[in-house]
Structure formats: C-alpha cells, structure tokens
Amino acid sequence: MESFKNVILTVIGGVGYDALSTEEARVCEVQTSYGTVSVSVLCAGENSDIAFISRHQGKHHVPPHKINFLALIDAARQISTPVLSVNSVGLMRNVLLVENFEMNEKLKQKTVASPESFLDFPFFIPNDFIDLTKNRIDTFHNEETIHTDMTDPYCMDIRSLLSGVLKDKSVSYSEGTYLCTEGPRFETKAEIRMYAHFADVVGMTGVPEVSLAKEAGLCYASLCTITNPAAGLSQNMVTADEVKVGVEKNQKTVFEIIFALAAVLKNRKNNGGRKICQCQNATVHGKL
Ligand SMILES: CSC[C@H]1O[C@H](OP(=O)(O)O)[C@H](O)[C@@H]1O
C-alpha cells in the first residue's frame, strides 16, 4: 500500500499512547473485512516511518472486552511490518530481572523483595501467555480448519532486537508469562493468588491480539509497562488512574525504545540482515 511503503515498524498502543497520534502524523483509514481502523503514520527518519494503531481507537476509548482485535490485526497485516505492542500490566509475582543495570553483577539475577519495589523496574517483555478471556473472537479461521502453532507466541526475532535496544539504553527489564483476563473489572485477591502460580503479569488486552498476529503470520512482540501490584498484593485498591500515572511516568522511555527499535529494523533492512523466527510458518502445518 502506497501510504505505508516506508513503514518499518507498526506499533499497537494501549492506554496513554494516543499521544503518538500527534499533529505531525499522517492519519490513514485502513479498510478491513472486520471494520475500519485509523492508523497514524509518523516519520522516524529518512524513508523510515512508524505506523501507530491505537488499540482503544482514540477518544471514545473502546473497553478491553469490546476491542475489535480482528480489525486491528488485519490492518497490521496490510501494513505488513513487524509489530510492537505496548501494554500496561499489573504485577503478580516477583519476576526475575533479566537485566538490571542498577545492581552490581552479583545481584543481577536477584528477585526483588516486594511487588511495590518492582515498580522501580517497570519494563516487562512477555515470552508466553495464558488466555483467560471468555468472550472474544479469537481466530481468523472460522470457515476452514487451521490450527496455528503457538509454541513461541511472541516473535523471537523482535524480542531479541527489543531486548538489545533495552540493553543498549541500560533499561532494566524482566521476561515471563502474561495472563489475560476478560475485564473490564480488575481481578479479585483470590484470582490473583491463583493466577500468580502460573504467570507473572496480568492485563486485559494482550490476547487475542498476540495469537491473531501469529495466525496472520506477523512478527509480533510486546513491551509491557508494569503500573501496579495486582489486587491484594498491596494495601491499595487497583485503579485506572494508577495505571494511567504508571504509563505516563514511563512513556518517554517507551517512545525512545520504539524509535530505537525502528532504527535497528531499518539498519538491518539496509544491510540485508536476516530474521531468526518462524512466524510466517505458524499455520503451514496446521491445515487439516
Ligand atoms: C486503564 S486500566 C486497565 C487497562 O489497561 C491495560 O490496557 P492496555 O493494554 O491498553 O495498556 C489493561 O490491559 C486494561 O485494558
């Protein structure tokens, strides 16, 4: 598509990321079989644009359980670049820091003492997910039987480039499992006690975005901002305001990471570098 010919990276942004649709952006309407999606295209350098899709589609703010994920991912498929999803999450357990540039070498792999202290290390890259949503359309394949491989739901290649960017910027981060609830309510204490046995962070919007991206053969990874300890892990209630504040606190760093990732992708494209993933083949052996 002409409007997207210089796009190097597509970003799907959640709460707090409408800011990427600034005045400098060119807004395009993408028609999909599932509805129209508004996409903002930003210049990130010479012949290097970033396409931004607002997950909640602007001011009206579509709630998590009503998001039209099929349309969003179909629009991304038409743009046809790697996708970085930006999500906010609650922390359920003390995940292992993969890289912590603020501690010395010996303490690098230490777990952090309390969920609240972990908010000082707010970046999380999911490498797997658990789907506890209840009421979402979660496949493009309703007419024919196609079973998509989900062994590595998040693209290994983009995850590896993304961690490289965080390391270059000395931004500490952790990795682990994302659990997706239906929302829009937050979780109960008992739910979090149960979920924390199986996953590290909880959100309402990561699934089926990731699995549809895999069905579409897209290279898709997510960068999560941990905004709050999950329900019952602190003395406080969980509030949408707290999530917004947490996102805003880390927004500048996330923007820097997005632009740096676009630059890395651009460099690799110019130098003929190769991907290391199988995302395009996820459905190849799944057809009955
Ligand atoms: C605003 S409170 C919870 C809300 O925030 C996260 O959304 P997003 O992925 O758009 O950052 C979470 O999943 C919930 O939808």
Side-chain angles (χ1 to χ4, degrees), residues 13-15 55-56 64 86-88 178 186 203-205 239-240 243:
V15 169
R55 178 177 299 119
H56 300 277
V86 176
N87 306 82
S88 51
Y178 176 109
F186 287 113
M204 303 173 195
T205 53
T239 67
V243 173

Side-chain angles (χ1 to χ4, degrees), residues 10-276:
T10 301
V11 174
I12 304 182
V15 169
Y17 283 91
D18 283 335
L20 263 179
S21 335
T22 55
E23 302 89 66
E24 302 105 68
R26 201 160 26 89
V27 180
C28 312
E29 302 283 294
V30 178
Q31 310 301 328
T32 78
S33 311
Y34 313 95
T36 304
V37 176
S38 179
V39 180
S40 306
V41 181
L42 292 166
C43 179
E46 200 184 333
N47 295 330
S48 169
D49 292 344
I50 297 175
F52 173 73
I53 300 176
S54 159
R55 178 177 299 119
H56 300 277
Q57 287 284 290
K59 283 207 186 85
H60 173 63
H61 197 92
V62 180
H65 62 300
K66 298 266 188 187
I67 293 171
N68 185 348
F69 288 106
L70 291 176
L72 301 187
I73 294 300
D74 201 42
R77 170 165 42 193
Q78 292 185 43
I79 301 168
S80 196
T81 66
V83 179
L84 180 69
S85 169
V86 176
N87 306 82
S88 51
V89 291
L91 180 72
M92 296 199 289
R93 64 184 185 196
N94 300 326
V95 261
L96 214 58
L97 281 171
V98 175
E99 281 295 343
N100 185 342
F101 297 94
E102 283 152 41
M103 291 181 185
N104 66 33
E105 275 302 309
K106 272 196 189 140
L107 293 174
K108 222 177 191 178
Q109 293 283 317
K110 171 182 149 71
T111 46
V112 172
S114 77
E116 270 140 334
S117 66
F118 206 88
L119 299 182
D120 295 334
F121 306 103
F123 295 106
F124 180 87
I125 302 178
N127 52 24
D128 211 340
F129 73 82
I130 292 177
D131 179 9
L132 290 184
T133 64
K134 299 178 204 166
N135 208 9
R136 301 181 183 192
I137 304 175
D138 64 353
T139 183
F140 286 110
H141 304 303
N142 278 317
E143 306 309 324
E144 46 182 352
T145 306
I146 297 183
H147 303 287
T148 306
D149 173 61
M150 213 54 65
T151 310
D152 278 308
Y154 299 90
C155 173
M156 280 164 130
D157 184 51
I158 303 302
R159 276 200 286 128
S160 138
L161 298 181
L162 181 61
S163 352
V165 166
L166 271 78
K167 285 176 192 168
D168 278 356
K169 293 191 165 299
S170 299
V171 173
S172 306
Y173 68 95
S174 49
E175 287 177 340
T177 301
Y178 176 109
L179 183 142
C180 195
T181 61
E182 181 67 11
R185 68 166 176 84
F186 287 113
E187 302 71 36
T188 67
K189 295 197 291 270
E191 283 172 334
I192 293 298
R193 272 201 304 277
M194 182 175 97
Y195 301 163
H197 287 286
F198 308 107
D200 304 297
V201 298
V202 59
M204 303 173 195
T205 53
V207 187
E209 199 176 273
V210 52
S211 52
L212 288 169
K214 194 61 114 189
E215 282 194 354
L218 289 168
C219 291
Y220 171 107
S222 159
L223 174 64
C224 296
T225 306
I226 299 171
T227 53
N228 57 287
L233 298 184
S234 78
Q235 303 302 315
N236 307 328
M237 293 165 68
V238 182
T239 67
D241 270 354
E242 182 184 21
V243 173
K244 253 178 75 184
V245 169
V247 168
E248 276 158 16
K249 213 164 78 188
N250 297 295
Q251 214 167 33
K252 188 169 164 280
T253 310
V254 173
F255 285 142
E256 284 170 14
I257 292 168
I258 291 170
F259 279 83
L261 181 63
V264 168
L265 286 164
K266 175 75 180 166
N267 264 340
R268 189 169 74 172
K269 193 172 172 188
N270 287 346
N271 299 324
R274 286 162 63 87
K275 296 198 297 188
I276 55 157

